[in-house]
Amino acid sequence: MNTTEPASPKLRLLRYLAYAFLLLLILITLLLWQTPRLIQRYLPGWLAEHYGLQLTLGEIDVGLRNPSISLGATALLDAKQQPIIGFEQLFITPNLQASWQQKGVVLSAVTLTKPVVQLQRLADKKGDVRLNLTDALATLLSPAPSPKPETASAPLLVDIASIAVTDGHVRYQDQRKESEPGWLPPLNLEKVALKLDNLRTEANHPTAYQLNAAINGKSSLAAHGKLDVMSGMGQGKVSLKQVELTPFAPLWAPYLKLDLAKGHANAEVEYQLKEGKQGVLWQLSKGKLTLDNWQLKKHQGDEFARFGQLALSDLAVDGQKQSIQIGKVTLQHPLIKATLNPQQELDLADLLIEQAPAKPVKGANAANEVANNAAPKSAQQTKAAGNGKKHGADKPWQWQIKQILIDKGDLTLTESSSGKPQARQLSGLKLALGPLGSKGEQPSKLTLATQFNQSSPLAFDGQLTLSPFTLSGDINQQELPLTLAQPYLADLVRIKVQNGLLSSKTRLDLATTAQGDLSKLTLQGGLDINGLKVVDRADNQRLLEFNTLALTGLTYDGISQQMRIKDIALNKPFARIEINEDGTTNLQQLLLPQPAATKSTETKAGSKTPDFRFTIDQLRTEQGNLRFADRSLSQDFVADIASLGGQSRHISNIPGQRSDLAFNGKVDRYAPVTIRGGTNLLVANPILDIAVAFHNLELTTFTPYSGTYAGYAIDKGQLSMKLHYRLEGNRLEGDNDITIKKLQLGEKIKSDQAKDLPLGLAIALLSDANGVIQMNLKVKGDLDQPDFSIGNIFWDVLGNTLSKAITSPFSLLASLADGTEDLDELPFLPGEPDLTPTQQEKLVKLAQALKDRPKLSMNIRGKVNFNEERPILQRQKLERVLAKLTGNQADLDLLEQDSALQEALAQAYEERFGEDLDDLADRLHLDEESAALRAQAVILLRDQQLITAKSLRNLAMRRAQNTKEFLVDSQGIAPERLFVLDSQVKEEDKEAKVILTLDQ
């Protein structure tokens, strides 16, 4: 008999529940066991059918003891069955208990091993960017019909304690042409390692992350920080190291004609993203960027620039404030090579590729709308957009750089303005500038130090302002070789700069207006030039030299075109002025002919600018030397004014101003020379009032002039001159007071230009008792005359003076004797040989002049009036005949008062004609006792007296002898200086006189 009691309903219920749970567990186990296979079998086909996705799914393994899910090698393929995305394994460790409790997906760990992304950019389609990934997912990503609005619900909670991606690989390849905008070279991210900790889909929940990768096998990428996966906000730090930049050269190829030969970059920055009232607020801070070992080349292969390192530190960017802050910019070892063409244009402009104007986008702010619609918006962003408030776009960005440093720079500029390429180099360049910023009114300190062509230090210390632009500071430049100017002077002037060093200390002040117009340009300071030597390229002889030039007190105003210099001091200057064989000067030939100015040059030159005005308060010279040479003579003339010292004050090109001159020197080392006066030859109406005095010049130096123009060398003599020249308008007037001592002529020199003058006589005439010649020559000339030459005028006046002295010597003697009458003739009374008191007075003056001219001798020649003095001599001879008859002296003028003389006359008449006076009276019908009868008898007897030429000669000789005797006996003239010349009587002689001529 069965005694077992039936189970109670409660126990049966528990039994059934246990059976049901066991069955459910069996079913779940079967489901978990079969689901991976089902998914692996049917999911790829379903995705291919509905979304066109080509998916190769790896083995799915579900762990039950320790819950886990793993997926083997899986890949998403493109249409050509090439993998786009793939991985070796995905391993997920779920936390079922936590998922149940939190009603969400809670995972303890997610590990992705060796993921690979093969990303390719395809040809754009209608301006849209195409990628192989977006093409593969096109159906999946296409917009779906908008579902009916559902009641907003909280998002599914996802909590992942740890996500790790190991040994990932991302490859990017641009399939387009390199010439396409935005083309990039192949890019590989290798050894990608990503770790996320405590990822949770809750608002304001930070997820720590860490990312590391290698770029193209050489560079490294590292990032770490915290990320809010729901909003995308977060903060962290990103760094790049040793990024090779040569592959990225195509990025700037459309803009620059430069190739990057080598160079890499390092960068790091901290970032922060957070939500604000007007959208996402983002900041970058503590940024660093270094570009190392860059080399840029032109397309032709020539190096353009290189540098050791360009470093930016303390970089900060604030998107809300729209500000960029850079603490320091440092450039190490930069080298730049530039070229300046003959049009003064830098080749840097040729390196820029001109861009076509951007095509306008239809509709207002179309680009912004596309960008805004394409980007996901947070709730705050959506609200801000709904308010329609403008921000950011209308506000300009602000920037500031605290300091810019350049160290050991090198700039080489090749320019061809001289017609030949010339390389100019700034080496060892050091520059410090800052702060700089968009607030342009902030002044920035600027210091610069460099060397020009590795020999001439150049430094600047001042400050700079960007807006409006100003630059001011001190410039210190030392020992710049002036030979560098030679290529630029070669086609302008016929000189060669052989030596010279320029040093200067100046202050520059430059400013512009807000519109960019120059408002201020001043230069103050001084300069020194040492050891200048300039030669004339025609003969390679020195033209200009000085030991030192010191210029102080320079003030230049570029706006008003005014310049003032307080002092210029020249030590041991030398200058050479020459007259060439053709009469031109070396200074005239220094300027080389230039091509005619082009129309554009003339227009530019004709632009209206203030006239340049300058004033030099004082110009001083010390131990100067001025050499003058005249090669146009039969012999070269060379004279030096040495030990030239003095000063000129108030030199200016301002009308109405004149400079005061005071210089002293020595000609040929011994003859003093002084220069005094005032002048201004730099104005339209030049001013000149200058006095020059030379003392005791050796006349032998002037033999080339005397030989050329006078035909004689000078054997001895000294010259002193006092010259005073005045210029009024274009009229030049000069007064030349000349004193010559002990002048002696030397040998005769053959010269076609010499005048045939008895210079010995001229010297004797002009020389006083001490052998001194004094002359005062006045010259005048018109500067407007094309053949004007002060030298020609002077020599013409001197020649005329000598000619006048020779041709009219007694006029000269008369002027020396303070008389105005000529002393070359002594008129005599007819028939008289004796000197009258008037004649004696003239001879006294002549004697004094002869005493003052001891080198002179005088010739004395008597003359008669042949026709008038012959009857007088016949009358005198008749008186002597009558005197014999009377026994007393006979004077026919007293005939009517002397009865004895009347008887002697009757006797002589009767003896001569054989008749008495009564017979004569009958023939003439005259009274026998009348005076008329006796007068006729005197005439008849006089005509019967025989007077020969000898008698007339004796009269002339007596006159000459009487003249000599008076000069010797009465005036003390040495008889050997007086010569009585033979008197030749001729019928054509018409004057009774003594003719005096001079000889040496």
Side-chain angles (χ1 to χ4, degrees), residues 453-652:
N453 280 18
Q454 299 182 345
S455 62
S456 175
L458 173 65
F460 179 87
D461 187 359
Q463 64 181 21
L464 175 147
T465 305
L466 292 181
S467 181
F469 180 80
T470 63
L471 179 65
S472 61
D474 298 323
I475 304 173
N476 189 348
Q477 174 269 318
Q478 300 177 23
E479 297 185 344
L480 177 68
L482 294 179
T483 53
L484 296 174
Q486 181 57 42
Y488 310 101
L489 300 174
D491 295 333
L492 300 176
V493 287
R494 195 189 62 184
I495 65 172
K496 180 180 181 181
V497 182
Q498 288 190 335
N499 290 305
L501 297 175
L502 170 66
S503 301
S504 64
K505 291 183 178 180
T506 55
R507 178 170 182 82
L508 173 68
D509 288 286
L510 183 149
T512 63
T513 64
Q515 293 73 30
D517 298 328
L518 189 64
S519 61
K520 182 179 182 180
L521 175 59
T522 61
L523 189 67
Q524 298 175 329
L527 61 87
D528 297 313
I529 299 177
N530 295 318
L532 178 69
K533 183 176 181 180
V534 179
V535 300
D536 191 333
R537 290 193 318 219
D539 54 12
N540 204 35
Q541 297 297 314
R542 61 177 182 164
L543 178 68
L544 177 65
E545 288 183 3
F546 53 74
N547 189 15
T548 61
L549 180 150
L551 186 152
T552 58
L554 169 66
T555 302
Y556 171 72
D557 190 328
I559 303 300
S560 62
Q561 290 292 296
Q562 302 282 330
M563 184 177 72
R564 188 181 190 91
I565 299 173
K566 289 185 178 180
D567 183 73
I568 298 177
L570 284 166
N571 177 257
K572 296 183 178 180
F574 169 85
R576 177 170 60 95
I577 302 175
E578 286 193 2
I579 299 177
N580 301 315
E581 294 182 1
D582 58 0
T584 61
T585 66
N586 61 335
L587 300 182
Q588 289 174 310
Q589 295 182 343
L590 289 181
L591 293 177
L592 299 176
Q594 300 298 312
T598 61
K599 184 176 181 181
S600 58
T601 305
E602 294 175 352
T603 303
K604 185 175 181 180
S607 58
K608 187 176 181 180
T609 57
D611 293 334
F612 176 68
R613 301 297 187 192
F614 74 89
T615 299
I616 302 174
D617 292 344
Q618 181 174 252
L619 171 64
R620 297 178 290 126
T621 61
E622 181 182 11
Q623 300 181 31
N625 190 328
L626 176 62
R627 176 168 296 173
F628 175 78
D630 193 341
R631 314 290 184 188
S632 65
L633 308 174
S634 56
Q635 302 179 34
D636 289 348
F637 170 79
V638 180
D640 283 353
I641 300 179
S643 301
L644 184 62
Q647 62 187 8
S648 176
R649 297 178 180 270
H650 314 303
I651 304 172
S652 175

Side-chain angles (χ1 to χ4, degrees), residues 315-318 322-326 397-401:
L315 174 65
V317 182
D318 192 319
Q322 292 187 288
S323 65
I324 301 176
Q325 300 283 337
I326 301 177
W397 278 75
Q398 303 296 314
W399 60 274
Q400 185 177 36
I401 303 174

Side-chain angles (χ1 to χ4, degrees), residues 49 56 95 102 168 253 338 347 396 463 482 496 519 564 581 831 902 940 946 966 975:
E49 179 181 354
T56 61
N95 189 334
Q102 298 183 27
D347 63 346
Q463 64 181 21
L482 294 179
K496 180 180 181 181
S519 61
R564 188 181 190 91
E581 294 182 1
Q902 292 176 4
L940 293 174
L946 180 62
F966 180 84

Side-chain angles (χ1 to χ4, degrees), residues 282-471:
W282 60 275
Q283 292 180 341
L284 302 178
S285 62
K286 298 181 181 179
K288 295 181 181 179
L289 173 64
T290 60
L291 306 178
D292 298 316
N293 298 321
W294 275 48
Q295 184 182 34
L296 295 170
K297 292 185 177 181
K298 299 178 182 180
H299 290 339
Q300 297 84 355
D302 298 331
E303 183 182 51
F304 166 68
R306 70 170 181 264
F307 56 82
Q309 185 182 77
L310 172 63
L312 282 70
S313 61
D314 297 330
L315 174 65
V317 182
D318 192 319
Q320 181 185 16
K321 297 180 180 179
Q322 292 187 288
S323 65
I324 301 176
Q325 300 283 337
I326 301 177
K328 183 184 292 186
V329 178
T330 304
L331 184 60
Q332 297 282 347
H333 301 282
L335 182 146
I336 299 177
K337 297 179 180 179
T339 301
L340 193 69
N341 63 22
Q343 289 73 37
Q344 307 301 307
E345 297 171 342
L346 277 173
D347 63 346
L348 300 181
D350 296 335
L351 300 178
L352 298 175
I353 299 176
E354 186 175 355
Q355 302 297 310
K359 296 181 180 180
V361 179
K362 296 182 179 179
N365 299 324
N368 292 335
E369 292 178 5
V370 172
N372 291 337
N373 293 334
K377 298 182 177 64
S378 65
Q380 290 83 350
Q381 288 175 303
T382 305
K383 182 177 180 181
N387 292 337
K389 296 180 180 179
K390 295 183 178 180
H391 62 279
D394 297 333
K395 181 181 178 182
W397 278 75
Q398 303 296 314
W399 60 274
Q400 185 177 36
I401 303 174
K402 291 183 179 179
Q403 190 176 33
I404 299 176
L405 298 176
I406 298 178
D407 186 38
K408 298 180 181 179
D410 196 326
L411 171 62
T412 301
L413 177 66
T414 302
E415 55 85 28
S416 304
S417 59
S418 64
K420 298 180 180 179
Q422 303 291 332
R424 306 300 182 209
Q425 183 182 32
L426 293 178
S427 57
L429 176 66
K430 292 186 177 181
L431 180 143
L433 173 63
L436 283 179
S438 53
K439 295 180 179 180
E441 64 276 6
Q442 179 184 13
S444 305
K445 183 173 177 58
L446 172 62
T447 60
L448 180 146
T450 184
Q451 283 194 337
F452 186 83
N453 280 18
Q454 299 182 345
S455 62
S456 175
L458 173 65
F460 179 87
D461 187 359
Q463 64 181 21
L464 175 147
T465 305
L466 292 181
S467 181
F469 180 80
T470 63
L471 179 65

Side-chain angles (χ1 to χ4, degrees), residues 640-643 665-673 694-698 718:
D640 283 353
I641 300 179
S643 301
K666 293 181 180 179
V667 178
D668 293 334
R669 298 180 59 187
Y670 302 108
V673 57
F694 297 89
H695 299 282
N696 301 325
L697 295 174
E698 292 295 336
Q718 289 184 341

Side-chain angles (χ1 to χ4, degrees), residues 919-972:
D919 296 331
L920 179 61
D922 292 339
R923 287 200 313 273
L924 299 178
H925 307 287
L926 295 174
D927 187 1
E928 294 179 355
E929 297 298 329
S930 64
L933 177 62
R934 287 187 291 274
Q936 285 297 321
V938 169
I939 293 173
L940 293 174
L941 286 173
R942 183 201 65 187
D943 292 340
Q944 293 299 313
Q945 305 301 314
L946 180 62
I947 297 298
T948 63
K950 180 179 179 181
S951 300
L952 292 172
R953 176 180 176 277
N954 290 337
L955 176 61
M957 291 295 293
R958 287 175 58 196
R959 289 171 174 169
Q961 289 292 346
N962 290 341
T963 301
K964 179 176 180 178
E965 290 173 2
F966 180 84
L967 291 173
V968 173
D969 298 339
S970 176
Q971 301 301 316

Side-chain angles (χ1 to χ4, degrees), residues 887-907:
N888 295 315
Q889 184 175 357
D891 185 356
L892 290 176
D893 291 334
L894 302 176
L895 178 61
E896 297 303 319
Q897 291 84 24
D898 189 347
S899 58
L901 186 58
Q902 292 176 4
E903 292 177 359
L905 176 64
Q907 181 183 350

